[in-house]
Amino acid sequence: TAKWNQVGGVTQGQATGSTITIPYDGSGVGQDVRIARKGVTLPANYWVETRTRITDATHDGQEASLIAQGSSPDPYFGSAVHVQLVRFGQNNWVIRARDDFDEVFIRTIGGGRDLTNIWVKLALKVVGSTVTAYWAPSSSPVWQPLGTWTTGKNGSAFGIGTWTAGAEFDYLVARPLNT
């Protein structure tokens, strides 16, 4: 708790080794779960990544997110950038990049239940105010860029989160970029 922030009264993530599990219980307390790293000072140029999977396909509208550029250690920061694995509907899995609540890029990567319990890697490269979102199938060493944009977000908080989803995150790392 000294290094990580979760809001009380909602489903809490559970860590085992490098894996963080967020169960979804079907009620309001499992709807919007955020886990943020507290007290971090990141350089102007950095890379943050995770590996995630959505662990059920019982309903539509599920999201597992990697979050960066947050202005607060509060895990409910909407004022941040996100790259997300999203199950919109029964026939549509996408990778989506958001700046705050504005969708800036989206790519369909699957259909049906084919990505349930399948690991997908997500990353954000931050170079000053320029952000590039990346994704890759877990089995691939090649990162696929989703898109690059300029953001007004400039915080150093980062974390993970879910929206109406049970999900697992296998690791969460932030590294300075080297020239």
Side-chain angles (χ1 to χ4, degrees), residues 3 27-28 40 46 49 64 71 79 81-82 86 90 93-94 97-99 110-111 121 139 145 173:
K3 294 183 179 183
S27 72
V40 173
Y46 64 94
E49 78 176 72
S71 59
S79 184
V81 297
H82 303 69
V86 181
Q90 292 179 356
W93 289 83
V94 303
R98 286 185 17 218
D99 191 307
K121 296 184 291 188
S139 59
V173 296

Side-chain angles (χ1 to χ4, degrees), residues 16-21 49-53 119-120 138 160 167-172:
T16 305
S18 66
T19 300
I20 301 169
T21 303
E49 78 176 72
T50 191
R51 185 171 85 143
T52 188
R53 65 182 176 180
W119 292 104
V120 174
S138 186
I160 56 175
E168 290 181 343
F169 297 85
D170 187 39
Y171 60 86
L172 176 61

Side-chain angles (χ1 to χ4, degrees), residues 51-114:
R51 185 171 85 143
T52 188
R53 65 182 176 180
I54 292 176
T55 55
D56 66 71
T58 57
H59 59 284
D60 299 339
Q62 300 174 66
E63 302 172 4
S65 302
L66 173 64
I67 307 163
Q69 297 288 90
S71 59
S72 166
D74 181 341
Y76 284 95
F77 50 84
S79 184
V81 297
H82 303 69
V83 61
Q84 304 171 303
L85 172 63
V86 181
R87 182 173 186 262
F88 273 130
Q90 292 179 356
N91 298 310
N92 196 3
W93 289 83
V94 303
I95 300 294
R96 175 173 63 188
R98 286 185 17 218
D99 191 307
D100 205 335
F101 291 100
D102 297 328
E103 181 177 279
V104 290
F105 295 100
I106 190 167
R107 178 176 299 155
T108 299
I109 63 167
R113 296 175 189 260
D114 63 350

